[in-house]
């Protein structure tokens, strides 16, 4: 009898990562159950934003946990993108994921710090704080949406390039709609500083993600 070697791709580290994501959500819910409930309904209503925007402290434990969750979930989705499009940029899978996660974290934190510094320099802390809370909340929710998508792609369905392209376009459109809705709400302020607003979009909303892609792919 001849033995046939069966190649099995290990998903142990991916399983651990997903468990960590679920644990972060459980901790966030334990920290503030009512706030977490409002957060999960963010796409259908603005209760979370309206109820908690005035507090608008991104440094709270609840926001810190969700931001960490966002990094883990979004980085996993980006990692799966690299696998689907067959971009060979790291010696092994775990190295690639941590490279993505570290770069994504650095860019997110760096952007927040720069925006806080700008707010302090121009004495517009209240406006920028509200904007950052609004933006980070929806980015955290994007990570929340991507978690079940990641689970399905890892354990149930082998996604195609078309599926990922469709998802990326849909997420981009959702992100644009979220930002435009906020800009529309503060149209009068933006029009008074239109030139600086355009510079802000190019420097802090577009360039960082282009840099993220270039750093990972090199």
């Amino acid at each position: 009898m001849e033995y046939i070697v069966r190649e099995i791709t290990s998903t142990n580290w991916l399983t651990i990562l997903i468990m960590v994501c679920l644990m972060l959500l459980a901790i966030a819910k334990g920290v503030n159950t009512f706030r977490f409930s409002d957060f999960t309904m963010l796409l259908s209503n603005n209760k979370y934003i309206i109820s908690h925007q005035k507090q608008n402290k991104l440094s709270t434990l609840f926001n810190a946990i969700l931001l960490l969750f966002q990094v883990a979930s979004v980085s996993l989705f980006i990692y799966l993108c690299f696998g689907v499009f067959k971009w060979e940029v790291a010696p092994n899978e775990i190295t690639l994921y941590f490279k993505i996660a570290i770069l994504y974290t650095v860019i997110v934190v760096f952007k927040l710090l720069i925006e806080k510094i700008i707010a302090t320099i121009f004495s517009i802390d209240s406006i920028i704080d509200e904007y950052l809370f609004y933006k980070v909340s929806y980015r955290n929710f994007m990570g929340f949406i991507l978690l079940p998508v990641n689970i399905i792609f890892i354990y149930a369905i082998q996604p195609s390039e078309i599926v990922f392209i469709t998802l990326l376009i849909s997420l981009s459109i959702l992100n644009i709609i979220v930002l435009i809705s906020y800009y529309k709400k503060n149209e009068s302020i933006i029009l008074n500083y239109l030139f600086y607003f355009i510079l802000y979009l190019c420097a802090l909303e577009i360039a960082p993600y282009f840099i993220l892609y270039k750093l990972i792919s090199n």
Side-chain angles (χ1 to χ4, degrees):
M1 180 182 294
E2 295 183 1
Y3 292 97
I4 301 175
V5 178
R6 179 185 176 188
E7 184 178 351
I8 301 176
T9 303
S10 175
T11 58
N12 289 341
W13 71 273
L14 290 172
T15 301
I16 294 172
L17 180 61
I18 289 169
M19 293 302 296
V20 169
C21 289
L22 293 173
M23 192 185 313
L24 288 171
L25 290 179
I27 294 172
K29 184 177 181 180
V31 169
N32 195 321
T33 303
F34 294 106
R35 189 169 183 175
F36 183 81
S37 178
D38 291 340
F39 169 75
T40 59
M41 300 298 293
L42 188 57
L43 201 60
S44 60
N45 61 68
N46 287 329
K47 183 180 178 182
Y48 178 80
I49 299 296
I50 296 171
S51 300
H52 306 287
Q53 191 174 42
K54 294 302 179 183
Q55 305 170 15
N56 106 73
K57 294 181 179 179
L58 290 175
S59 58
T60 61
L61 179 60
F62 183 83
N63 285 325
I65 293 170
L66 287 183
L67 185 60
L68 184 59
F69 167 78
Q70 178 202 147
V71 170
S73 182
V74 173
S75 298
L76 179 55
F77 181 76
I78 297 173
Y79 161 79
L80 294 177
C81 282
F82 275 73
V84 169
F85 293 107
K86 296 179 174 59
W87 296 330
E88 300 294 337
V89 295
N92 58 65
E93 295 176 345
I94 300 179
T95 300
L96 173 58
Y97 174 79
F98 279 107
K99 186 177 180 182
I100 293 170
I102 291 170
L103 290 174
Y104 185 81
T105 303
V106 169
I107 287 177
V108 168
V109 173
F110 181 74
K111 282 175 82 280
L112 289 174
L113 290 176
I114 291 295
E115 287 166 322
K116 292 289 288 182
I117 291 171
I118 292 173
T120 302
I121 292 173
F122 292 100
S123 301
I124 52 174
D125 296 85
S126 60
I127 297 173
I128 293 297
D129 284 346
E130 285 188 9
Y131 173 63
L132 292 180
F133 179 83
Y134 184 90
K135 184 173 63 172
V136 170
S137 296
Y138 276 98
R139 297 280 169 81
N140 289 340
F141 189 77
M142 183 176 69
F144 183 73
I145 293 174
L146 286 176
L147 180 59
V149 173
N150 291 335
I151 292 173
I152 291 171
F153 286 164
I154 291 171
Y155 298 107
I157 300 173
Q158 180 65 40
S160 64
E161 292 185 9
I162 296 297
V163 171
F164 259 89
I165 290 172
T166 302
L167 275 172
L168 288 171
I169 293 173
S170 300
L171 291 172
S172 299
I173 292 173
L174 177 61
N175 186 58
I176 291 171
I177 291 173
V178 167
L179 291 178
I180 288 177
S181 66
Y182 185 86
Y183 299 151
K184 187 68 176 177
K185 178 183 174 184
N186 296 274
E187 184 177 2
S188 59
I189 299 174
I190 291 172
L191 289 176
N192 289 334
Y193 302 95
L194 186 59
F195 177 72
Y196 297 104
F197 174 70
I198 294 172
L199 285 179
Y200 164 80
L201 283 181
C202 295
L204 292 176
E205 291 294 351
I206 298 174
Y209 299 103
F210 177 76
I211 293 171
L212 175 63
Y213 167 75
K214 296 299 291 183
L215 288 174
I216 294 173
S217 59
N218 288 335

